[in-house]
Amino acid sequence: MEELPSDFIKGEQCLDCERWESDHEWKGVLRQNVSLYQYNDFLKEYLARYKYRGDYVLAKPFASILKNYIEKSEFDLVTPIPLSNDRLYERGFNQSTALLEEAEVRPSRLLTRSHSEKQSKKTRWERLQQEQVFQLGEGGVDGKRVLLFDDIYTTGTTLRQAAKLLKEAGASEVSSLTLARG
């Protein structure tokens, strides 16, 4: 896991997490996010080939690090950030689910997602103003420690929306793991 540069950290928190935690609506919703890599030009192209061009085999190099992180963690459930049915149809697969499966992690299907404009097409401000797009899916979370998994952390909105819904449904703790941090 790559470390953030020191000018992006205050104490033991990144500045983004500190900003989220200062908002009473979002305070304590997401315990922490761990990103395995920095989202650089190489990873941007790599993940674009994987996600948008369906080069499914590109998930393999991440399997070992994902499996090791998840096995060492103490979460009851691991759930990928879902795609809407429309987006799933366009891509043919959920990139986050596929990464987990490649790492031999059986994901829970705790969430579903309504269709919205592509996140990559939105500005930071538009992402932050977005209405809740998640609904509860299969399985209960009452008293469970949940790990959300997504490919890229950009603004944190997607992960926090999902975490908020899971906390409201009774999850005792929600953290997130992302492949890369933008």
Side-chain angles (χ1 to χ4, degrees):
M1 289 169 274
E2 293 188 26
E3 296 291 322
L4 282 174
S6 61
D7 52 336
F8 291 106
I9 298 173
K10 183 175 182 182
E12 293 186 21
Q13 268 189 330
C14 72
L15 294 177
D16 189 59
C17 290
E18 182 177 286
R19 183 173 33 201
W20 280 102
E21 287 299 306
S22 69
D23 184 331
H24 75 278
E25 181 182 352
W26 299 102
K27 184 173 179 60
V29 168
L30 189 65
R31 186 176 148 303
Q32 72 171 356
N33 177 72
V34 172
S35 296
L36 301 175
Y37 302 99
Q38 289 293 315
Y39 191 56
N40 57 26
D41 289 339
F42 171 78
L43 207 49
K44 183 177 182 178
E45 177 58 32
Y46 191 95
L47 291 176
R49 282 185 53 200
Y50 170 63
K51 278 170 70 164
Y52 304 120
R53 293 180 223 140
D55 202 345
Y56 198 88
V57 73
L58 294 177
K60 286 189 182 300
F62 302 111
S64 178
I65 192 168
L66 285 173
K67 184 175 183 173
N68 288 338
Y69 179 86
I70 293 169
E71 283 180 349
K72 290 178 183 174
S73 64
E74 297 182 5
F75 296 99
D76 301 308
L77 302 166
V78 179
T79 192
I81 292 294
L83 298 176
S84 69
N85 289 336
D86 291 354
R87 197 77 64 233
L88 185 59
Y89 179 78
E90 284 175 16
R91 289 192 193 158
F93 72 107
N94 177 321
Q95 72 279 0
S96 297
T97 301
L99 284 161
L100 289 173
E101 289 172 346
E102 190 64 42
E104 300 174 354
V105 174
R106 185 168 181 224
S108 298
R109 311 260 188 235
L110 301 176
L111 301 167
T112 62
R113 184 180 194 147
S114 54
H115 187 65
S116 64
E117 183 182 350
K118 291 181 180 179
Q119 293 297 301
S120 60
K121 303 291 182 197
K122 294 180 180 179
T123 66
R124 177 179 175 79
W125 177 250
E126 289 169 331
R127 288 180 188 211
L128 295 173
Q129 299 306 308
Q130 180 175 287
E131 296 293 321
Q132 177 64 273
V133 296
F134 297 107
Q135 300 82 38
L136 292 175
E138 301 172 7
V141 297
D142 198 34
K144 304 281 187 189
R145 293 165 300 171
V146 179
L147 179 66
L148 292 167
F149 177 71
D150 205 4
D151 56 347
I152 304 167
Y153 181 109
T154 307
T155 65
T157 304
T158 300
L159 292 165
R160 281 178 175 77
Q161 280 193 340
K164 187 173 188 179
L165 183 65
L166 293 169
K167 291 280 284 199
E168 289 169 352
S172 64
E173 175 184 302
V174 181
S175 294
S176 60
L177 172 66
T178 58
L179 198 57
R181 167 87 185 244

